[in-house]
């Protein structure tokens, strides 16, 4: 059990730093610091194919930020269990191309391996 | 991909019914309807040991309800990806034995197999 407690404590430290950076609008720095080189990013079926690797995720983030105007982002969490944590993102955003303003409400499940994010998996609400 | 889309659509239907029952204060009925017979329930390390089986989870729920006075419960979600969904629970609650009133903020990650909840895994926020 001691080892498991240590793993969870270490998850908490990383999760809180990760979320602090995201709350400060530094999601790119959060990724740079904690994504594993071969990190896997998984969106719900039918939205986007999985992306693999730090460089691919950086580009995905840049594309998303370029395609949207963010009016407000609220972040709840992190929520921790073992080597995993969950973060909730509520985003008031306008899709630039269509001009559609919407409230996005989603959660990310992050899985750590050796102190780095090996996988991020996003879950959508119908809103 | 079609099969994956069907799995996710089926997850959505189950997740929304499950959450509707929980929002109506019928968490026990939600469990009865959707827990697999050998469902596994996992709390964060150091809180409670895992519980296995529908009967064990029913007793766990009864114990929790008996030990707490719930003033208010808010539920966000469900958030869906593939065969999994996440629900957020914010609970204003008094622990009867100590008289301590607290705000619990946690998320549950539910994994479906053959239309039933094979695993529920809870994540805690430091609040």
């Amino acid at each position: 059990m001691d080892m498991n407690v240590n793993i969870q404590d270490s998850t908490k430290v990383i999760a809180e730093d990760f979320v602090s950076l995201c709350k400060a609008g530094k999601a790119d720095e959060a990724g740079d610091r904690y994504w594993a080189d071969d990190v896997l990013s998984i969106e719900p079926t039918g939205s986007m194919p999985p992306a693999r690797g730090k460089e691919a995720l950086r580009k995905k983030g840049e594309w998303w930020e370029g395609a949207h105007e963010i009016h407000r982002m609220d972040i709840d969490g992190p929520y921790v269990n073992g080597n995993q944590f969950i973060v909730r993102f509520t985003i008031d955003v306008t899709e630039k191309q269509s001009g559609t303003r919407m409230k996005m409400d989603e959660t990310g499940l992050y899985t750590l391996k050796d102190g780095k994010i090996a996988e991020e998996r996003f879950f959508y609400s119908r809103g």
Side-chain angles (χ1 to χ4, degrees), chain A:
Chain A
M1 282 298 276
D2 274 355
M3 205 182 68
N4 289 335
V5 168
N6 288 344
I7 287 172
Q8 188 168 281
D9 283 347
S10 148
T11 301
K12 272 185 192 163
V13 171
I14 292 169
E16 284 172 8
D17 189 40
F18 184 86
V19 163
S20 290
L21 288 167
C22 290
K23 283 184 176 171
K26 297 176 181 172
D28 47 351
E29 193 177 328
D32 274 345
R33 194 176 294 179
Y34 291 113
W35 282 331
D37 288 339
D38 62 345
V39 57
L40 183 64
S41 180
I42 302 169
E43 302 284 340
T45 309
S47 50
M48 289 177 83
R52 164 79 78 180
K54 224 168 163 167
E55 188 51 32
L57 269 61
R58 201 177 283 132
K59 282 184 183 158
K60 187 183 162 191
E62 283 169 8
W63 165 81
W64 196 88
E65 282 180 30
H68 296 85
E69 185 190 351
I70 299 175
H71 308 290
R72 183 192 169 106
M73 173 162 0
D74 289 306
I75 297 179
D76 297 299
Y79 303 87
V80 174
N81 180 325
N83 68 327
Q84 295 183 302
F85 66 94
I86 288 172
V87 183
R88 180 197 185 200
F89 303 91
T90 322
I91 316 173
D92 177 6
V93 73
T94 296
E95 196 187 36
K96 287 181 185 169
Q97 201 177 356
S98 65
T100 309
R101 184 163 177 167
M102 54 192 164
K103 288 252 185 185
M104 298 177 65
D105 186 5
E106 59 182 84
T107 53
L109 168 66
Y110 299 83
T111 303
L112 298 178
K113 193 178 162 190
D114 302 326
K116 296 283 184 177
I117 296 169
E119 186 187 286
E120 54 175 35
R121 184 179 292 257
F122 295 100
F123 295 69
Y124 297 173
S125 168
R126 278 185 171 170

